[in-house]
Amino acid sequence: MTQTNRLNKGGRIDRQRILNFTFNGQRYEGHAGDTLASALLANGVNVVNRSFKYSRPRGIVAAGAEEPNAVMQMGATEATQIPNVRATQQALFEGLCARSTNPHSELLSTLGNLFAPLIPPGFYYKTFMQPASMWMTYEKVIRKAAGLGRSPRESDPDHYEHIKRHCDVLVIGAGAAGLAAALAAGRSGARVILCDEQEEPGGSLLDSRELLDGRPASAWVESVMAELANMEEVLLLPRTTANGLHDHNFITLYERRAEHLGDLVPEIDGRKPARACLHHVRAGQIVLATGAHERPLVYASNDLPGNMLAGAVSTYIRRYGVVPGKRLVVSTCHDDGYRAALDWAEAGHQVVAIVDARKHNDAATGHWVRLAAKQGLQIIYGSAVIEAKGKNRVTGARVAEIDIPEFQTRGSVTDLACDTIASSGGYNPVVHLASHTGARPVWRDDIMGFVPTKMTGLIPTGGATGIYALADVLKSGIEAGSEAALACGRQSPEIDLPEVDRIEIAQAAPLFQVPHPKTTLRAPKQFVDLQNDVTAAAIELATREGFESIEHVKRYTAMGFGTDQGKLGNINGMAVVARCLKKSIAETGTTVFRPNYTPVAFGAIAGPHRRELFDPERYTALHAWHVDRGAAFEDVGQWKRPWYYPQSTGESMHDAVARECRAVREKVGVLDASTLGKIDIQGKDVREFLGRIYTNKWEKLPVGKARYGLMCKDDGMVMDDGVTTCLGDNHFLMTTTTGGAAGVLEWLELWHQTEWPELDVSFTSVTDHWATLMVTGPEARHLLAEMTDIDLDRDTFKFMEWREGDVAGVPARVYRISFTGELSYEINVQAHYAMHVWKKLFEHGDKYGLTPYGTETMHVLRAEKGFIIVGQETDGSVTPEDLGMQWCVGYDKPFSWIGKRALTRPDTRREDRKQMVGLKPVDQTVVLQEGAQIVFEPKASPIAMVGHVTSSYYSPTLGHGFALAVVKGGQKRMGERVYLPMADGVTQVAEIVSPIFYDPKGERQNV
Amino acid sequence: MSKVEVFQQQPSGAVAAESPFHFSRQRNPLAPAKGEAGVIMAERPFLTHLILRGTPEVLLGGVRNVTGLTLPQTPCSMNSKEDKSLQWLAPDEWLLILPPGSEFSTEKALRGELGDGSYAIVNVSGGQTVLELSGPNAREVLMKSTSCDLHPRTFPEGRGVSTVFAKTGAIIRRPDAQRWELVIRRSFADYLYRWLLSAGAEYGITTQER
Amino acid sequence: MFYIHCPYCNERRSEEEFHAKGQAHLMRPANPEEASDREWGDYLFFRDNPRGLHQEMWVHAAGCRKFFNILRNTVSYEILETYPMGEQSSVLAEMTAGRERGEPRRAAGAVA
């Protein structure tokens, strides 16, 4: 296929380098320096997509981020699929493979065109919302039919980076204003980041007709970039979109490092660079130099391929050496539209006419107008293109005289034969970023556009503020850069502006929707938002149906939705609303734009936080041993804890847990309990503090002893528990649950810092410092005795006491506390030495049958004893009394401790509160499901739920399943039967029993 | 002094000790970087880490007498001398890092100097370790990991901050122009080791035993 | 993402280092046992939710672990002031003084 629309010379492409690519399966050639869009236009491809709602053929309209139609599904393989790429922003590379996001669908096309009059705005809501429950189903079908791009089904082979940056001045956009601003800020010595979303910096200067210092504008771009590149404190980020502006000048920059290099990121110097990098930037000042998007005119059939933005036509000719047609009609209401005609004529193609909405007298003073007249181009004043003719490509333009204030045409309609219509209604400053935090842009009549509202730390400049004359743009850029630097305490030196010829510009006319001889509702479709298929008629209809707020119109019609974010159509849409409501655009106002400015790959959002780096994994000092031993791991908070240790023979979890349970009950087991939260507390007032924080008493706990404590929030609900030890009169060690450690430490600090700063007490986490080895079982004493110099005599070292001494040659603190109900010694050593002690335990333990056990066995054993787990038996709505733990509540403590007052509120005194009980399934083979709902009367309707199962296991010791549960008024219902209707239709039956299933007198731990 | 339990936690005989990075180095032995390494990681294991709590008035003199270091009172700063450093963590909290094996003697000496005042000293040596980063791209690797500004203008030598690092926390310190130090909690060491290997891959990263 | 000045570290850090802890300057009644059920319920469960200036308590969780107060505009998200625990907002005090002097309210000071 030949590049029929390619010029022999001109443009910034490299004609020596030919690049092959495919589009919708067809092979094409382009050149290095092309975008996918310019290459498609060079090859004369008219239809690049089908429209969302009506499946109408669509062609390339724009040359930048505002392109609504050429939205592509990229990727040569399944794993490299990328949806929603704008062809105008995608650099061409060898082997590029693109498809229309919305391929031609006969069905939708026929339906869309046949029933077009029947698909008014809100059609989908009105039609598919009944019944409401079906919307999810409808939506899937509609989306599939509409084809909004799809994500890959295979894992992305490339990787993505994140980096966090700080700067004094962030300049967004490297066009004329941005370059000038960066220069001014950079020369001040400030830390500057300059980002630009395009393949090359320069913005509109790359295809400008104007000269700077007598040289082409692109030469000035090169010299400024060279100077900036040499500045130590300036960071240049090409191919980088500022896609979100958040609170307090936090900006995300999406840098595409390798999107232009290939389908897969190629290796460079033996390393594979990231495909993209997301920069999280905190900027002192932001210079918003995002320029302006050209605004198309809204006229009938303006969506036919061949309808383009005038500025885009110039860009394709001057930057890419592509003339996207043979015969051009320009429709404009201001001077800049003429430039497309001048470029077209210079390329040797035919300009049929320039249709200018302004009268001759109003337009003729303009520099470009005079130039066009001088070149003999036909200009039709006071008129506009009211309709495009054609089927899959423009074949003609219908032109009529128009009366803008009266919104009507006058006289007869003239048909001009042409294949391209370039329209321009002026410019929309790119205010998207400035409204991401919710600030609303402000309408300015003089420039007929919205500009950013005033925001702290944000300095809009150049086109983004409605300044369009090059000399003024450069000046405003310098001022913005200097102002930004000054705000960061840096003085910019005087900067000489490049010399630019001042050109005369005539006043523009305010034209948005072009009137048509027929009414808007009867005229051929006049598209406002091409990507979402929103027409002027649809907006008019919405206003007739009573939608007056622009936000409501947006949602009702879908204008400015999705990946487009209203770049091309929003202002025209507001103009239509304003016309229909007989208001000004300023009164109508604008919707706010949201991040992201253009789509961002999910890979870039995830960055390196994926797979094994998705979330931190915390390991104990014994982790390597557990791994070597083949432990199955359980996530507890961020910790990886051994769940159970299956034997290499392929032992099942059930069997492994039963074996581990028996070992502890009959011989001796060891648990790595290092994950328990540990807080060292020192100070003269520790006892007083503990008495206020815990429900029970701490005043008289002697040195050498430990005590179980329960912690409530001030609403009386249990929040944590653990054993706290008195190490010295002013020195305690608190343990917390594994998951609650950080929260409890913050909780202690909260009360100390905000309510009781007068108490002398301080808290330090020692969770990671101490490794905790829990040796438990009838043989625990014999085993430990072999390894320690501590006197383990039952009358010397009693239950709930601690001792210091040597264990396997390592100084240790040993606590006689038990979470299994068996004789237990908890050995604490500094974590560096834990592995040594652990291995020594096994050297000595073999003859006692020492068995490592995991969290599952720990759960079974503690549940047999009726010991709660906070977060399992409790859920933030359970009081100590609900748990039957009145023994742990100091009702008569002098200080009204945290949670006490709430225990006498009417709600906490209710008799039918859910209370913890044991459940014994009537069928002894059954293990109830955790979370199962409990009812008293299974046949009642509606059925009243009275509680749920909180823990449930099979007990190898008891020989049957058992459970802990909360049941309304359960503590007074001992012996009663409850029912658990399950999802499979079976109803389980269980008896309410005491939650202590094993050794109720606690004799075994006390031997 | 008897009201606080000070405990010699170090074995007197030969006992194999494992630093927090022991497992990581075994699981991820690092091949030398291809070409010039942009980042060099080196653990400084088994150092003495003590947390000091109290007011500057209570702590200042005693700490100087025992360690020879002045208690830094400017937020986020530290004072170092040879292989000792004392870092501000909060208005009433400092991190004292000393050569290996000195925790018991130092705590005893400090308590002897400070007497019965309101203060706390906690040995956390087993729970954290120091990882040193150097090389031309060390700062970039840190920038991938923390939202703190690490530019020399805002992060001069002698500064140290406690902050979010990757998805956990760490202390970042800049003892001199060539080196960065991370103080890392033991349980997060392997996650951070893997994180740093990933972040340093594009520059070439290697480890050094010290 | 907020950029919050920690009054103890005396510098600004990213929001990710902090935890928000709700309305500031709440006082736990000194004698809880003498509080009525209604008063205790108010203390436990009821909080202000103004449109405009709001005093909040935050903690520098990943930094110095100190609690402090923020005066923040809930509409613009502007943080007007951060100040240590135990102190009062000087900005609010100045506004009150200004109003007593008959000065107009400053733009950000639209207390609902």
Side-chain angles (χ1 to χ4, degrees):
Chain A
M1 189 109 184
T2 51
Q3 301 182 38
T4 52
N5 285 340
R6 184 78 72 182
L7 293 170
N8 291 329
K9 59 180 174 50
R12 302 176 64 78
I13 49 158
D14 181 355
R15 286 184 175 72
Q16 302 308 308
R17 281 184 59 206
I18 292 171
L19 300 173
N20 297 287
F21 70 100
T22 67
F23 171 64
N24 285 346
Q26 178 96 33
R27 291 177 57 86
Y28 298 97
E29 283 180 1
H31 293 300
D34 262 327
T35 61
L36 175 56
S38 67
L40 286 169
L41 287 172
N43 283 282
V45 176
N46 290 329
V47 180
V48 296
N49 225 334
R50 290 277 161 175
S51 79
F52 166 70
K53 201 156 126 187
Y54 305 118
S55 199
R56 287 163 70 108
R58 291 283 165 80
I60 293 165
V61 168
E66 71 276 31
E67 171 61 36
N69 292 334
V71 178
M72 301 294 170
Q73 180 80 24
M74 298 271 300
T77 64
E78 182 55 37
T80 54
Q81 291 296 308
I82 307 176
N84 298 328
V85 175
R86 277 148 184 73
T88 48
Q89 295 188 291
Q90 176 61 54
L92 199 64
F93 56 77
E94 178 63 31
L96 182 149
C97 185
R99 297 194 158 270
S100 304
T101 292
N102 225 3
H104 183 57
S105 152
E106 281 302 331
L107 176 73
L108 268 184
S109 173
T110 313
L111 281 178
N113 286 319
L114 267 179
F115 298 106
L118 303 179
I119 311 184
F123 170 78
Y124 291 105
Y125 293 110
K126 287 169 180 164
T127 312
F128 294 114
M129 286 311 278
Q130 301 298 332
S133 60
M134 282 297 286
W135 169 247
M136 299 301 277
T137 312
Y138 294 139
E139 192 195 15
K140 277 183 200 138
V141 177
I142 293 166
R143 275 185 177 268
K144 197 165 179 190
L148 293 171
R150 64 181 188 84
S151 50
R153 286 183 292 265
E154 291 174 12
S155 180
D156 191 335
D158 293 322
H159 73 279
Y160 301 81
E161 294 283 359
H162 282 179
I163 195 160
K164 297 149 202 248
R165 296 189 180 280
H166 294 254
C167 63
D168 295 324
V169 181
L170 169 66
V171 181
I172 302 173
L179 285 171
L183 199 62
R187 283 187 186 168
S188 78
R191 296 163 62 190
V192 177
I193 296 175
L194 172 63
C195 69
D196 187 88
E197 56 159 5
Q198 297 199 27
E199 284 299 308
E200 294 186 80
S204 65
L205 294 176
L206 296 176
D207 49 61
S208 173
R209 301 179 68 86
E210 292 172 75
L211 300 178
L212 278 75
D213 288 335
R215 297 183 302 160
S218 58
W220 183 77
V221 174
E222 274 162 39
S223 71
V224 173
M225 286 302 288
E227 181 179 343
L228 291 171
N230 276 325
M231 291 181 182
E232 199 183 333
E233 297 300 344
V234 175
L235 175 70
L236 302 174
L237 291 174
R239 299 186 187 89
T240 301
T241 307
N243 60 294
L245 195 157
H246 307 273
D247 294 310
H248 302 179
N249 273 12
F250 183 75
I251 309 97
T252 48
L253 303 181
Y254 177 40
E255 180 193 13
R256 294 167 302 278
R257 288 184 178 168
E259 301 281 357
H260 61 297
L261 296 178
D263 191 57
L264 264 176
V265 177
E267 267 199 15
I268 297 169
D269 298 335
R271 285 175 196 145
K272 213 173 145 169
R275 183 169 194 92
C277 178
L278 207 58
H279 302 252
H280 297 124
V281 180
R282 186 73 70 173
Q285 298 286 314
I286 300 170
V287 174
L288 195 71
T290 46
H293 288 150
E294 195 168 24
R295 184 165 62 227
L297 293 171
V298 176
Y299 48 92
S301 303
N302 58 340
D303 67 325
L304 266 177
N307 285 292
M308 294 181 74
L309 288 167
V313 167
S314 284
T315 301
Y316 285 115
I317 296 172
R318 299 182 66 87
R319 189 164 163 191
Y320 301 103
V322 173
V323 188
K326 303 283 181 234
R327 293 186 305 280
L328 176 73
V329 169
V330 172
S331 185
T332 186
C333 55
H334 66 121
D335 290 12
D336 276 0
Y338 284 73
R339 293 200 291 192
L342 292 166
D343 292 329
W344 193 278
E346 278 170 28
H349 287 223
Q350 185 196 348
V351 175
V352 178
I354 302 166
V355 188
D356 191 330
R358 299 170 295 184
K359 302 277 187 247
H360 174 267
N361 285 349
D362 295 333
T365 53
H367 174 78
W368 304 118
V369 181
R370 279 183 311 194
L371 196 58
K374 205 166 113 191
Q375 291 191 10
L377 302 182
Q378 190 198 346
I379 305 171
I380 305 170
Y381 292 104
S383 303
V385 171
I386 58 160
E387 184 176 337
K389 302 296 287 180
K391 191 159 184 287
N392 280 323
R393 169 85 196 202
V394 170
T395 56
R398 312 197 70 197
V399 175
E401 196 183 326
I402 57 165
D403 182 334
I404 295 175
E406 295 299 323
F407 190 64
Q408 59 189 32
T409 60
R410 293 189 193 284
S412 59
V413 175
T414 311
D415 284 346
L416 301 176
C418 66
D419 62 5
T420 306
I421 299 170
S423 83
S424 183
Y427 295 103
N428 298 330
V430 180
V431 299
H432 295 66
L433 288 167
S435 67
H436 279 178
T437 57
R440 286 187 187 266
V442 183
W443 178 260
R444 265 177 52 192
D445 271 328
D446 57 335
I447 61 150
M448 283 176 277
F450 282 97
V451 296
T453 187
K454 202 165 172 51
M455 285 164 66
T456 315
L458 183 84
I459 306 172
T461 182
T465 57
I467 298 171
Y468 303 126
L470 184 53
D472 298 338
V473 169
L474 289 166
K475 184 162 169 283
S476 102
I478 299 276
E479 286 166 359
S482 307
E483 183 190 338
L486 197 61
C488 303
R490 304 238 159 213
Q491 184 78 46
S492 301
E494 277 295 312
I495 290 174
D496 290 332
L497 283 167
E499 227 162 276
V500 186
D501 283 339
R502 253 201 196 276
I503 53 174
E504 187 82 19
I505 297 171
Q507 177 66 39
L511 183 59
F512 303 93
Q513 183 193 357
V514 178
H516 193 277
K518 294 181 182 169
T519 65
T520 298
L521 292 179
R522 294 191 172 277
K525 287 193 167 51
Q526 301 164 310
F527 281 92
V528 170
D529 178 337
L530 291 161
Q531 190 173 88
N532 296 296
D533 258 357
V534 179
T535 62
I539 295 171
E540 190 167 311
L541 212 57
T543 60
R544 286 194 192 182
E545 290 188 22
F547 292 94
E548 297 191 350
S549 153
I550 191 68
E551 294 283 7
H552 291 157
V553 172
K554 167 182 169 169
R555 278 152 189 82
Y556 196 54
T557 60
M559 177 179 76
F561 268 30
T563 68
D564 183 63
Q565 282 298 301
K567 291 182 189 68
L568 214 55
N570 255 28
I571 309 303
N572 281 330
M574 287 150 204
V576 175
V577 172
R579 175 180 64 72
C580 294
L581 299 177
K582 297 188 169 46
K583 285 183 183 172
S584 68
I585 297 181
E587 287 165 334
T588 306
T590 175
T591 58
V592 291
F593 304 97
R594 295 207 167 79
N596 289 317
Y597 176 66
T598 46
V600 178
F602 274 111
I605 293 168
H609 299 278
R610 58 182 203 139
R611 298 200 173 135
E612 67 279 6
L613 292 176
F614 176 66
D615 201 40
E617 289 179 1
R618 298 179 74 179
Y619 298 157
T620 72
L622 302 167
H623 188 74
W625 192 94
H626 305 319
V627 172
D628 288 345
R629 185 67 173 228
F633 287 92
E634 181 185 26
D635 291 336
V636 183
Q638 290 174 320
W639 289 95
K640 288 282 174 194
R641 295 195 71 179
W643 193 13
Y644 58 98
Y645 298 83
Q647 288 183 333
S648 52
T649 49
E651 189 183 29
S652 70
M653 176 174 174
H654 180 271
D655 291 349
V657 171
R659 176 178 51 76
E660 291 172 14
C661 285
R662 276 194 302 273
V664 174
R665 291 278 182 242
E666 293 163 15
K667 293 171 179 166
V668 60
V670 63
L671 172 81
D672 180 1
S674 308
T675 61
L676 282 181
K678 295 175 276 287
I679 301 169
D680 181 286
I681 311 179
Q682 296 179 26
K684 296 183 181 67
D685 298 317
V686 184
R687 284 175 198 282
E688 173 64 24
F689 188 89
L690 290 177
R692 297 181 183 189
I693 281 288
Y694 274 131
T695 58
N696 49 342
K697 295 181 184 175
W698 294 85
E699 206 178 332
K700 290 182 182 142
L701 183 71
V703 177
K705 296 253 183 207
R707 179 169 287 169
Y708 175 82
L710 206 52
M711 225 178 260
C712 285
K713 296 215 164 168
D714 228 349
D715 59 4
M717 303 304 155
V718 171
M719 72 165 271
D720 208 81
D721 70 345
V723 170
T724 289
T725 307
C726 181
L727 297 173
D729 270 332
N730 298 346
H731 192 188
F732 285 67
L733 184 80
M734 174 184 283
T735 64
T736 74
T737 58
T738 295
V744 169
L745 182 60
E746 194 170 284
W747 179 250
L748 305 180
E749 291 285 0
L750 170 72
W751 287 99
H752 182 225
Q753 290 181 34
T754 66
E755 287 282 342
W756 314 316
E758 71 282 1
L759 294 186
D760 174 19
V761 57
S762 69
F763 319 95
T764 304
S765 169
V766 288
T767 301
D768 287 31
H769 173 77
W770 293 103
T772 304
L773 289 51
M774 173 61 89
V775 180
T776 179
E779 299 284 5
R781 184 176 285 131
H782 296 127
L783 168 58
L784 191 56
E786 288 191 17
M787 302 168 62
T788 184
D789 59 2
I790 300 172
D791 181 357
L792 299 180
D793 184 273
R794 59 169 292 178
D795 298 321
T796 317
F797 184 2
K798 293 182 190 151
F799 185 54
M800 296 307 276
E801 290 184 352
W802 64 273
R803 293 288 181 274
E804 279 169 2
D806 211 71
V807 176
V810 177
R813 255 188 212 137
V814 179
Y815 303 83
R816 256 201 81 178
I817 55 179
S818 178
F819 198 42
T820 62
E822 300 296 331
L823 171 67
S824 305
Y825 296 96
E826 192 193 270
I827 304 164
N828 284 261
V829 293
Q830 186 166 320
H832 296 328
Y833 313 110
M835 188 65 93
H836 167 83
V837 176
W838 182 268
K839 285 178 176 168
K840 286 283 173 199
L841 273 173
F842 281 90
E843 280 175 27
H844 291 269
D846 240 13
K847 54 184 169 294
Y848 300 106
L850 179 66
T851 302
Y853 69 95
T855 50
E856 188 66 16
T857 293
M858 173 190 87
H859 275 271
V860 176
L861 299 175
R862 65 88 201 174
E864 287 172 350
K865 290 288 299 172
F867 295 150
I868 62 155
I869 296 238
V870 170
Q872 188 149 346
E873 271 62 57
T874 73
D875 59 3
S877 70
V878 177
T879 67
E881 293 163 346
D882 296 337
L883 294 167
M885 293 174 76
Q886 286 84 345
W887 55 269
C888 196
V889 178
Y891 292 100
D892 57 352
K893 285 197 282 183
F895 189 89
S896 183
W897 41 271
I898 305 302
K900 183 188 179 192
R901 172 62 184 84
L903 294 183
T904 52
R905 294 181 64 241
D907 184 63
T908 44
R909 295 257 53 81
R910 273 190 297 117
E911 297 233 323
D912 65 343
R913 288 185 65 80
K914 289 179 185 170
Q915 296 167 332
M916 190 177 87
V917 294
L919 286 187
K920 191 175 169 187
V922 171
D923 177 349
Q924 300 227 338
T925 65
V926 162
V927 177
L928 300 173
Q929 251 182 43
E930 287 183 359
Q933 292 295 316
I934 296 167
V935 304
F936 293 143
E937 294 170 56
K939 298 238 161 24
S941 179
I943 204 162
M945 289 179 283
V946 297
H948 65 274
V949 176
T950 57
S951 298
S952 178
Y953 311 94
Y954 174 77
S955 164
T957 311
L958 305 171
H960 60 78
F962 73 105
L964 301 177
V966 287
V967 176
K968 281 191 175 177
Q971 282 158 10
K972 285 187 178 162
R973 289 177 176 269
M974 288 297 150
E976 288 183 23
R977 285 199 167 181
V978 292
Y979 302 88
L980 303 96
M982 304 306 296
D984 61 5
V986 175
T987 297
Q988 310 283 9
V989 189
E991 186 187 328
I992 296 181
V993 296
S994 153
I996 307 173
F997 288 85
Y998 187 69
D999 184 25
K1001 288 185 183 156
E1003 287 159 342
R1004 297 180 65 88
Q1005 63 197 11
N1006 226 345
V1007 293
Chain B
M1 236 174 87
S2 60
K3 292 185 173 179
V4 172
E5 176 60 19
V6 187
F7 181 35
Q8 168 60 283
Q9 296 165 26
Q10 286 205 307
S12 49
V15 165
E18 291 188 356
S19 89
F21 284 109
H22 184 86
F23 172 68
S24 312
R25 276 198 298 266
Q26 279 189 330
R27 187 163 76 164
N28 279 311
L30 198 60
K34 292 181 193 169
E36 194 85 346
V39 188
I40 301 139
M41 281 200 291
E43 189 193 0
R44 302 182 65 205
F46 307 122
L47 296 176
T48 292
H49 296 242
L50 293 175
I51 293 288
L52 312 182
R53 302 290 299 265
T55 60
E57 295 71 41
V58 170
L59 293 171
L60 192 71
V63 169
R64 186 184 286 135
N65 292 346
V66 172
T67 67
L69 295 168
T70 305
L71 202 72
Q73 293 186 52
T74 306
C76 307
S77 68
M78 63 174 185
N79 292 329
S80 325
K81 202 178 277 178
E82 290 143 15
D83 46 7
K84 303 174 187 171
S85 67
L86 184 54
Q87 181 188 349
W88 184 99
L89 293 181
D92 61 351
E93 183 172 359
W94 288 264
L95 171 62
L96 176 63
I97 297 186
L98 303 170
S102 40
E103 48 265 54
F104 184 62
S105 57
T106 306
E107 183 173 348
K108 275 219 166 289
L110 280 171
R111 290 192 183 276
E113 283 277 338
L114 299 170
D116 244 1
S118 294
Y119 63 90
I121 302 169
V122 185
N123 177 11
V124 292
S125 310
Q128 52 196 45
T129 192
V130 174
L131 189 71
E132 201 176 275
L133 294 184
S134 57
N137 299 108
R139 182 153 71 101
E140 275 77 13
V141 165
L142 296 177
M143 284 164 69
K144 291 182 181 186
S145 316
T146 176
S147 62
C148 283
D149 188 359
L150 305 175
H151 191 276
R153 284 182 190 166
T154 46
F155 210 115
E157 292 160 43
R159 178 172 155 85
V161 297
S162 177
T163 181
V164 173
F165 194 88
K167 282 192 184 171
T168 177
I171 291 170
I172 306 173
R173 300 145 50 108
R174 193 151 176 246
D176 56 47
Q178 279 72 46
R179 294 176 303 141
W180 296 87
E181 283 177 350
L182 297 177
V183 183
I184 286 170
R185 281 181 78 173
R186 167 181 274 277
S187 55
F188 289 103
D190 188 69
Y191 162 73
L192 287 173
Y193 189 82
R194 288 182 280 118
W195 170 270
L196 290 167
L197 290 189
S198 157
E202 67 172 302
Y203 313 110
I205 182 164
T206 188
T207 52
Q208 227 173 47
E209 303 286 335
R210 282 176 58 120
Chain C
M1 183 144 65
F2 293 172
Y3 207 26
I4 300 171
H5 182 267
C6 170
Y8 298 99
C9 293
N10 197 26
E11 59 186 43
R12 285 195 294 179
R13 301 280 187 87
S14 280
E15 185 179 340
E16 62 187 11
E17 291 190 12
F18 300 85
H19 294 166
K21 305 303 283 188
Q23 188 177 337
H25 298 293
L26 290 177
M27 293 292 284
R28 188 176 196 256
N31 295 306
E33 306 309 311
E34 287 164 24
S36 68
D37 285 338
R38 189 184 184 83
E39 284 164 349
W40 197 251
D42 280 348
Y43 157 69
L44 287 180
F45 303 121
F46 287 86
R47 299 292 181 267
D48 297 338
N49 184 21
R51 179 183 168 84
L53 293 189
H54 187 38
Q55 287 168 283
E56 300 168 342
M57 184 163 72
W58 288 63
V59 58
H60 193 181
C64 64
R65 302 195 292 125
K66 293 292 175 224
F67 289 76
F68 61 95
N69 300 309
I70 283 182
L71 179 67
R72 186 171 73 90
N73 186 316
T74 59
V75 178
S76 67
Y77 288 8
E78 183 192 2
I79 293 173
L80 288 85
E81 183 183 21
T82 61
Y83 54 98
M85 205 44 61
E87 293 185 10
Q88 297 295 320
S89 164
S90 63
V91 172
L92 281 183
E94 177 54 35
M95 280 180 193
T96 311
R99 272 201 297 280
E100 279 163 8
R101 289 195 299 268
E103 289 166 10
R105 287 180 174 193
R106 51 179 285 190
V111 188

